[in-house]
Amino acid sequence: MPDIIQLLPDSVANQIAAGEVIQRPASALKELLENAVDAGATSIQVIIKDSGKSLIQILDNGCGMSMTDARLSFERHATSKIRNAEDLFAIRTMGFRGEALASIAAIAQVEMKTRKHDEETGTLIEIEGARFIRQETVTCPPGTSFSIRNLFFNVPARRNFLKSNTVEARHIIEEFERVALANPQVAMSLHQNGLEVFKLQAGNLRQRIVSVFGTPYNERLVPVEESTSLLNISGFAGKPEFARKTRGEQFFFVNHRFVKDPYLHHAVTGAFEELLPRDSYASYFLYLDIDPGRIDINIHPTKTEIKFDDDRSVYAIVRAAVKRSLGQFSVAPVLDFERETNFDLPYSMRNAPVQVPTIDIDSSYNPFRRETMPQRPDGWQRLYDVVKPDVAPLLSSSQPPVEESQLSALPEETPDVDEQVLVQIHLRYILSPVKSGLILIDQQAAHERILYERYLDNLKKKPGAIQQKLFPLTLDFNATDAAVLRELGDDFKMLGFDLSEFSAQTFVVQGTPPDLAEGQEKEIIESILEQYKINKDEFRNHRQETVAKVMAKKTALKPGQKLSRQEMKHLVDELFFCQKPSASPDGKPVMVSLSLEELAGKFR
Ligand code: ADP
Ligand code: MG
């Protein structure tokens, strides 16, 4: 038996490769546009006839090629962009496979003219169906131009599979738009059948988006900007009120390359959650800049798919960044620390790193916002009526038994503080003179009461505010806890937890109620689950109360925490907005009072 294996001739191999890279005229255009960008062009002109079936012409002012390079560029695996395997992990160019020109030349009639900027003359090369026709020296402007005629002329099967002109023309525009959006610094034009479709000036990204999609887009864009150690993200999200019923403009670019990534798409749509009307789609133009060593783009010949080595973090960052932008630009009801001037941070957030501003997606209710507070009960107001701040020095100068270190400075010189006198004692009680004498408030019990009522309110009526995490937390549970957590999912949501199931026993915490300090998440979730397991009946009957109590106890201020005057005032104010200010959720007294008579009696 003779041996039967043969090496395929290059022309056949190229035609096979072309099948993968060049599926339609638009794919040829994409490759040519990307080559022009890689060549550093600042201007690219495209002329299309018959949706690219009969002609694709592209002219750039990039670096051009020498005579030898011009000839070599049509060889398979001929590239100037990488030299060895390591370079594959540092790719900043669009191309690197060295396949496009060889593939195109295998299935079309190609004419290329190219000239380097520092050379007097250029080179013309003609190739038809991988067959070299001629190469000569010509005069031409610096840069490179290609004419691709009669694509698939020698592959009838492929030619017959092409869709109608309108469909193919749409694909052409799509590819053109993608490259245009990825490279706003390049002037680009597109003519189809003699009509000017795009004429785009070089500019910034916003200008580019507006010139591609129309002037109304100028008002629809919300900037997205986030820098992390893993990646930088920039670009724009479309305001939800302009969301469209059809799948809108959704663009993801990674290192200037347009990619299709359902996972990242999910991250963005997650950020839009609850902001979009039903059946409408968000638009976004997002640009990720990441160390090329952390991604793999060599998954598919068309290079529109990508793999991240740490896709979960990428997901989280994208989601948080978009959510934050939507929030900051007040397209969502927001607690925005920068703009809300009379907004005081909740106590427990003082020490927590506030990387992402709280975004109150679920409700417009902000318990700390003055105007949403109920009127202060009259009685409480009257308690303070006659007590002026000049009483304060008297109080704080009483040296023993209160040590200086344990006594908060008082009063602060802020002119706007009102007349209420508040002193923190032993970092656990708040002392305040009132009309009838003085009262002493236990800061922990008071805060527990405040939080308890707020959580209960969240659970029963209005979902609590969520503080989105920049880096979501993955928590593992045993099978039972995971089952309980699932059962209590709605309660957690109402409290302000943004939890999603990652797998049977793993949950991802994307956001928490704002009162939670960093690192407390697992402990709190577990204590709620624990309560459930310990006392199922009690839990069943008073589920919301039990959950609110656990949350309140866990997140409340503890003794030893120093409070500023503002914080004390806040605490006292809020305490007296509570329905039952006198007792903690476990029934312990929140305050004791001493009347003037009692005091006088003691001094006889
Ligand atoms: P790749 O882009 O993957 O390197 P191509 O087959 O697309 O492979 O191109 C082969 C080579 O031809 C490129 O590496 C580049 O050196 C050169 N080339 C292609 N198009 C241009 C152009 N418009 N301007 C300058 N050089 C080009
Ligand atoms: Mg290329």
Side-chain angles (χ1 to χ4, degrees):
M1 266 289 262
D3 298 331
I4 51 171
I5 295 178
Q6 290 188 3
L7 280 177
L8 287 175
D10 275 355
S11 57
V12 181
N14 284 341
Q15 203 165 319
I16 293 171
E20 289 177 54
V21 187
I22 313 294
Q23 289 130 359
R24 51 173 23 113
S27 7
L29 176 64
K30 168 185 187 274
E31 294 296 335
L32 295 167
L33 284 171
E34 291 188 345
N35 279 347
V37 169
D38 283 345
T42 56
S43 162
I44 303 174
Q45 293 160 41
V46 178
I47 294 170
I48 300 286
K49 291 224 169 80
D50 278 339
S51 318
K53 291 171 188 170
S54 54
L55 177 71
I56 299 172
Q57 209 175 1
I58 172 168
L59 179 79
D60 73 53
N61 65 350
C63 63
M65 286 176 262
S66 70
M67 199 196 287
T68 326
D69 282 351
R71 182 67 191 268
L72 256 180
S73 67
F74 289 99
E75 294 295 326
R76 192 137 160 255
H77 308 309
T79 181
S80 55
K81 299 169 194 174
I82 58 170
R83 302 210 168 268
N84 49 45
E86 280 107 73
D87 291 350
L88 272 175
F89 302 100
I91 290 168
R92 286 274 176 195
T93 51
M94 296 298 106
F96 60 90
R97 298 168 64 101
E99 286 191 317
L101 292 188
S103 299
I104 294 171
I107 51 165
Q109 297 153 347
V110 177
E111 189 192 274
M112 175 181 83
K113 284 187 211 158
T114 185
R115 186 191 129 194
K116 291 175 66 146
H117 287 248
D118 57 0
E119 280 173 13
E120 298 279 302
T121 53
T123 305
L124 175 145
I125 286 182
E126 217 181 298
I127 298 185
E128 187 176 308
R131 200 162 47 87
F132 177 77
I133 310 265
R134 65 184 170 125
Q135 171 162 13
E136 42 193 66
T137 301
V138 290
T139 49
C140 61
T144 305
S145 71
F146 283 91
S147 290
I148 314 293
R149 283 173 213 279
N150 302 319
L151 201 67
F152 303 124
F153 79 102
N154 55 351
V155 197
R158 186 57 74 119
R159 194 173 180 87
N160 295 338
F161 266 108
L162 289 180
K163 299 277 183 342
S164 69
N165 271 353
T166 37
V167 173
E168 294 302 334
R170 189 161 46 73
H171 285 296
I172 292 268
I173 290 176
E174 220 169 68
E175 291 295 355
F176 183 91
E177 282 176 354
R178 290 170 183 173
V179 177
L181 289 170
N183 301 281
Q185 77 290 355
V186 181
M188 292 175 67
S189 70
L190 170 67
H191 286 80
Q192 288 224 58
N193 297 330
L195 289 175
E196 182 183 286
V197 184
F198 290 112
K199 189 170 174 60
L200 311 171
Q201 314 284 343
N204 62 27
L205 178 59
R206 183 185 275 273
Q207 291 162 333
R208 179 54 52 97
I209 294 172
V210 169
S211 42
V212 172
F213 296 108
T215 353
Y217 270 78
N218 201 18
E219 298 155 48
R220 300 183 185 176
L221 304 174
V222 175
V224 177
E225 200 78 59
E226 192 77 63
S227 295
T228 70
S229 53
L230 176 62
L231 57 81
N232 296 334
I233 172 168
S234 60
F236 295 95
K239 292 183 184 166
E241 61 261 43
F242 297 108
R244 311 195 325 174
K245 289 283 178 211
T246 54
R247 220 162 246 282
E249 285 73 38
Q250 303 176 327
F251 294 91
F252 247 114
F253 300 88
V254 176
N255 296 349
H256 299 281
R257 182 189 306 280
F258 172 83
V259 296
K260 287 184 199 153
D261 193 317
Y263 186 64
L264 289 185
H265 174 73
H266 188 262
V268 179
T269 46
F272 273 90
E273 223 168 45
E274 294 167 38
L275 292 175
L276 288 180
R278 272 179 84 80
D279 303 325
S280 53
Y281 297 90
S283 53
Y284 55 82
F285 308 85
L286 295 174
Y287 296 73
L288 269 51
D289 194 43
I290 187 168
D291 172 2
R294 309 205 64 158
I295 55 175
D296 187 359
I297 44 179
N298 197 14
I299 300 172
H300 190 268
T302 59
K303 298 170 288 196
T304 43
E305 283 166 42
I306 199 161
K307 246 180 106 60
F308 296 94
D309 69 348
D310 186 0
D311 49 2
R312 276 157 72 173
S313 301
V314 175
Y315 182 99
I317 294 169
V318 167
R319 195 181 136 119
V322 174
K323 206 156 187 171
R324 168 187 165 127
S325 298
L326 291 175
Q328 262 183 345
F329 287 82
S330 60
V331 288
V334 167
L335 313 187
D336 184 336
F337 298 149
E338 265 137 38
R339 287 184 310 145
E340 185 71 56
T341 45
N342 63 353
F343 179 86
D344 299 317
L345 286 177
Y347 324 96
S348 54
M349 281 177 70
R350 276 191 312 149
N351 304 321
V354 185
Q355 289 154 312
V356 183
T358 305
I359 298 171
D360 184 356
I361 297 292
D362 297 325
S363 85
S364 56
Y365 174 66
N366 168 2
F368 288 98
R369 208 173 269 163
R370 293 269 168 244
E371 62 269 29
T372 62
M373 285 183 166
Q375 285 302 301
R376 180 195 292 223
D378 267 349
W380 173 241
Q381 185 77 70
R382 265 182 274 117
L383 273 178
Y384 274 132
D385 274 345
V386 289
V387 186
K388 301 288 181 207
D390 54 358
V391 187
L394 284 176
L395 279 167
S396 53
S397 64
S398 62
Q399 287 296 333
V402 183
E403 283 172 40
E404 182 61 28
S405 65
Q406 289 166 315
L407 188 68
S408 286
L410 217 204
E412 285 171 6
E413 285 183 336
T414 355
D416 66 342
V417 291
D418 67 24
E419 302 174 337
Q420 193 170 322
V421 174
L422 299 161
V423 191
Q424 192 182 20
I425 294 176
H426 292 279
L427 301 180
R428 70 190 299 163
Y429 304 113
I430 297 168
L431 174 76
S432 180
V434 294
K435 192 178 174 183
S436 62
L438 54 87
I439 57 167
L440 213 50
I441 296 170
D442 180 323
Q443 66 184 47
Q444 179 177 6
H447 200 211
E448 280 179 14
R449 161 56 56 184
I450 295 163
L451 292 176
Y452 173 75
E453 292 196 7
R454 178 167 0 127
Y455 288 133
L456 206 54
D457 205 46
N458 291 154
L459 288 163
K460 290 190 162 155
K461 293 182 227 143
K462 32 203 169 193
I466 300 177
Q467 157 137 322
Q468 290 298 327
K469 294 176 112 28
L470 185 53
F471 296 103
L473 197 70
T474 315
L475 298 181
D476 295 314
F477 295 91
N478 63 35
T480 332
D481 280 0
V484 177
L485 189 51
R486 241 168 246 126
E487 200 176 323
L488 296 177
D490 284 344
D491 285 335
F492 277 105
K493 199 168 164 201
M494 293 293 273
L495 286 170
F497 282 97
D498 183 351
L499 292 176
S500 51
E501 282 185 57
F502 192 75
S503 66
Q505 284 169 235
T506 307
F507 287 74
V508 181
V509 186
Q510 315 257 23
T512 63
D515 312 277
L516 244 65
E518 200 83 3
Q520 261 194 315
E521 305 84 354
K522 184 155 202 212
E523 185 195 334
I524 288 186
I525 294 173
E526 282 179 345
S527 344
I528 294 176
L529 301 180
E530 201 51 36
Q531 281 300 318
Y532 178 91
K533 289 188 289 183
I534 293 173
N535 203 340
K536 267 195 179 143
D537 289 337
E538 163 83 6
F539 204 95
R540 286 239 164 78
N541 298 333
H542 307 279
R543 195 184 81 245
Q544 293 164 330
E545 286 77 5
T546 314
V547 171
K549 205 190 283 184
V550 175
M551 279 287 290
K553 284 175 74 92
K554 286 282 174 188
T555 50
L557 284 167
K558 300 286 176 291
Q561 226 157 318
K562 190 167 186 256
L563 301 179
S564 73
R565 203 201 115 79
Q566 271 300 321
E567 289 167 335
M568 286 191 281
K569 181 163 168 4
H570 232 7
L571 190 78
V572 174
D573 278 353
E574 281 182 71
L575 178 66
F576 287 93
F577 299 145
C578 285
Q579 294 185 339
K580 220 177 148 198
S582 58
S584 78
D586 310 293
K588 284 188 241 144
V590 168
M591 61 188 110
V592 292
S593 60
L594 206 57
S595 69
L596 285 172
E597 293 78 49
E598 283 170 294
L599 271 177
K602 288 198 189 297
F603 290 112
R604 265 176 272 138

